[in-house]
Amino acid sequence: MMPNGWKITSLKEATVKIQDGNYGASYPKKEELLPSGIPFLTSKVLGGEGKINTSKYDYISLEKHAELKKAQITTDDILFTNRGANVGTVAMAGKDLADANIGPQLTLIRANEQVSDKKYLYLFMKSNYFLRQVHGQDSGSAMNFFGIKSTEKFKVILPSLPEQRKIAKILSTWDKAISTTERLIDNSKQQKKALMQQLLTGKKRLLDDSGKPFEGEWTHGYLGDLCVFKGGSAFKEVYQGNSTGEIPFIKVSDMNLPQNGKFICEANNWVTKDIAKEMKAKGFPKGAVVFAKVGAALLLNRRRILTRETIIDNNMMAATPLDSATTEFLYQIMLAIDFAKFVQDGAVPSVNQSDLSKFKLTYPKRIEQEKIASVLANADQEIELLEQQLADLKQEKKALMQQLLTGKRRVKI
């Protein structure tokens, strides 16, 4: 039931302008795009969560901007992705977009501030109530398009302006906490990256158990001196979902399960030892480092450590440590290697055992490896804690939005 004084209205009634971006003969040609000038935004600028990526701006001249009059945007305009994979994604233009322009994949939405607070309207367009409308009408086709007329018909819930402003202020506080945590994560990742460059190359030596810096030359060798690489087994759908099995059978997608972070703890598919024998699939031991060996997932540079005997799909590879390396040190070394350098231009991304085994590096004795790995593992743990805090903040904000933007929970004016 709608609270007293609240109303459901159309997006058209809550705005002064709804306009999709420029297209047709006047659309900027490739040669008209400049390294700087007036920002010209397309859907590539908006990520899945609606963050504006300034590194993906295109730029046009002031003269071209003046020519493209219909979709000139300014600070605090709402940008709505009207087609494609991220349809329904919204973002709010910042101060750097006081003078800017947009392409046809984006729609400009400007609040009528006599009726709707611009920040409230932006937040409402990120709510489940609004997104259900978008996805309910989205056919899933790449050609699906929300034009001006269909965008105008979306329903919005509006309390009084003072209550809108109060709701926006409360939710903005959560946004600040989320932004602060995201910055902390970015800083921690950069610090860890710098630490890896120093510790994994021997430029910085740690202290041994006696409190003295480690001494002695590192061994010049190859990655194959530390581990054995081997690909996985062909996955057969007949084994999918066998939860009564004894051995996990993981695919690349299993690396992204919520229960799996640095360590592989869970799988979608399990097999019995008898079936594993029938498949001629040999499991990899606890402590092996697994990763994608082919496809786009390879370039994400994700690595995971097995916590038990596990069979892996043939799109994956495992690095099983030898006596010359500890699991944690090998994991950190594998993280430091950018697999993209092994991929040839135009080819499907892939790595092979030979290239990885021949990768040149220097490495210390196991006792120093343990110290290095411990320091880097602590840095990983700090990042993981911050990432969990971020996930909690986002979930709590989402729940609060659901209550505040529908009137289930009221604010004091």
Side-chain angles (χ1 to χ4, degrees):
M1 184 176 178
M2 196 62 56
N4 186 34
W6 287 48
K7 64 178 181 180
I8 298 178
T9 188
S10 67
L11 190 59
K12 180 179 180 179
E13 295 299 321
T15 60
V16 294
K17 187 172 185 177
I18 297 178
Q19 179 63 62
D20 54 359
N22 297 279
Y23 54 89
S26 297
Y27 189 86
K29 298 177 177 62
K30 186 176 181 180
E31 58 269 22
E32 292 179 301
L33 299 178
L34 307 172
S36 63
I38 301 293
F40 185 81
L41 279 57
T42 58
S43 59
K44 67 182 180 182
V45 169
L46 271 64
E49 294 187 359
K51 291 184 179 180
I52 295 180
N53 187 341
T54 57
S55 68
K56 294 190 176 181
Y57 284 6
D58 290 319
Y59 295 93
I60 55 176
S61 67
L62 185 59
E63 292 76 17
K64 191 66 178 179
H65 175 60
E67 181 184 345
L68 301 173
K69 293 179 180 179
K70 77 166 189 173
Q72 295 178 353
I73 66 170
T74 190
T75 302
D76 292 338
D77 279 345
I78 300 167
L79 303 177
F80 170 77
T81 305
N82 57 44
R83 72 181 78 193
N86 291 329
V87 66
T89 300
V90 294
M92 181 171 270
K95 293 180 180 178
D96 65 318
L97 297 174
D99 289 297
N101 227 300
I102 58 173
Q105 307 97 332
L106 299 177
T107 297
L108 149 66
I109 296 172
R110 189 169 295 158
N112 180 350
E113 296 192 64
Q114 301 299 314
V115 177
S116 60
D117 178 78
K118 55 194 175 187
K119 289 187 178 179
Y120 172 90
L121 185 60
Y122 160 68
L123 290 164
F124 187 84
M125 291 182 68
K126 292 171 72 74
S127 71
N128 288 337
Y129 182 97
F130 189 87
L131 289 174
R132 277 196 296 267
Q133 298 178 69
V134 175
H135 297 309
Q137 297 179 46
D138 177 22
S139 69
S141 167
M143 298 303 293
N144 195 43
F145 168 61
F146 288 99
I148 297 172
K149 293 297 181 184
S150 56
T151 304
E152 288 176 342
K153 293 176 183 178
F154 288 129
K155 300 299 181 183
V156 294
I157 301 175
L158 296 179
S160 66
L161 272 171
E163 194 163 356
Q164 288 182 45
R165 295 183 185 115
K166 188 65 178 288
I167 290 170
K169 184 177 181 180
I170 291 170
L171 293 175
S172 292
T173 302
W174 286 81
D175 284 334
K176 289 178 182 176
I178 289 170
S179 295
T180 299
T181 307
E182 287 174 336
R183 285 196 296 273
L184 287 172
I185 291 172
D186 288 341
N187 290 339
S188 295
K189 286 182 175 179
Q190 290 301 318
Q191 289 170 4
K192 194 218 167 183
K193 186 177 180 180
L195 199 56
M196 290 173 73
Q197 290 173 341
Q198 292 180 310
L199 294 181
L200 295 177
T201 58
K203 292 179 181 178
K204 181 177 181 178
R205 305 291 288 271
L206 297 174
L207 303 181
D208 61 21
D209 291 337
S210 67
K212 296 179 181 179
F214 279 100
E215 296 179 344
E217 293 293 322
W218 284 19
T219 301
H220 292 267
Y222 302 91
L223 188 55
D225 297 335
L226 302 180
C227 62
V228 174
F229 290 102
K230 188 176 180 182
S233 306
F235 181 83
K236 296 182 180 179
E237 296 301 320
V238 68
Y239 306 120
Q240 190 167 342
N242 188 349
S243 59
T244 60
E246 302 165 300
I247 306 173
F249 190 165
I250 64 170
K251 299 191 288 185
V252 173
S253 57
D254 289 296
M255 294 173 69
N256 301 324
L257 289 172
Q259 307 95 315
N260 294 335
K262 179 176 180 178
F263 298 93
I264 292 286
C265 304
E266 194 52 80
N268 281 318
N269 305 281
W270 295 69
V271 296
T272 63
K273 291 182 179 179
D274 288 340
I275 289 177
K277 186 176 181 181
E278 177 188 328
M279 294 169 58
K280 299 180 180 180
K282 186 177 181 181
F284 290 92
K286 173 183 178 180
V289 180
V290 296
F291 51 91
K293 71 173 185 179
V294 66
L298 163 70
L299 302 180
L300 295 175
N301 274 10
R302 291 197 179 111
R303 317 284 187 263
R304 300 288 188 266
I305 300 174
L306 299 181
T307 56
R308 55 174 295 162
E309 180 187 3
T310 303
I311 299 171
I312 65 173
D313 179 39
N314 60 352
N315 288 321
M316 301 179 68
M317 190 179 291
T320 304
L322 299 170
D323 291 340
S324 53
T326 67
T327 289
E328 187 67 39
F329 182 77
L330 177 62
Y331 168 77
Q332 298 294 344
I333 285 287
M334 295 297 293
L335 277 181
I337 298 172
D338 182 6
F339 284 173
K341 66 177 60 179
F342 296 105
V343 177
Q344 296 180 352
D345 292 339
V348 175
S350 65
V351 292
N352 61 59
Q353 298 165 216
S354 177
D355 286 343
L356 289 173
S357 296
K358 293 177 182 177
F359 185 83
K360 292 182 179 181
L361 78 168
T362 59
Y363 55 91
K365 294 179 180 178
R366 283 181 63 98
I367 189 169
E368 189 171 358
Q369 290 181 28
E370 290 171 358
K371 290 286 185 179
I372 292 170
S374 177
V375 171
L376 296 178
N378 288 338
D380 286 334
Q381 189 173 23
E382 179 185 336
I383 293 169
E384 287 171 7
L385 288 172
L386 286 171
E387 288 177 335
Q388 185 58 55
Q389 289 177 23
L390 179 61
D392 291 343
L393 283 170
K394 287 182 175 180
Q395 188 60 38
E396 290 163 6
K397 183 201 167 189
K398 184 178 180 181
L400 189 59
M401 283 177 68
Q402 177 65 20
Q403 293 180 314
L404 293 180
L405 296 174
T406 58
K408 292 178 181 178
R409 182 172 177 179
R410 303 295 297 275
V411 297
K412 292 182 179 181
I413 307 301

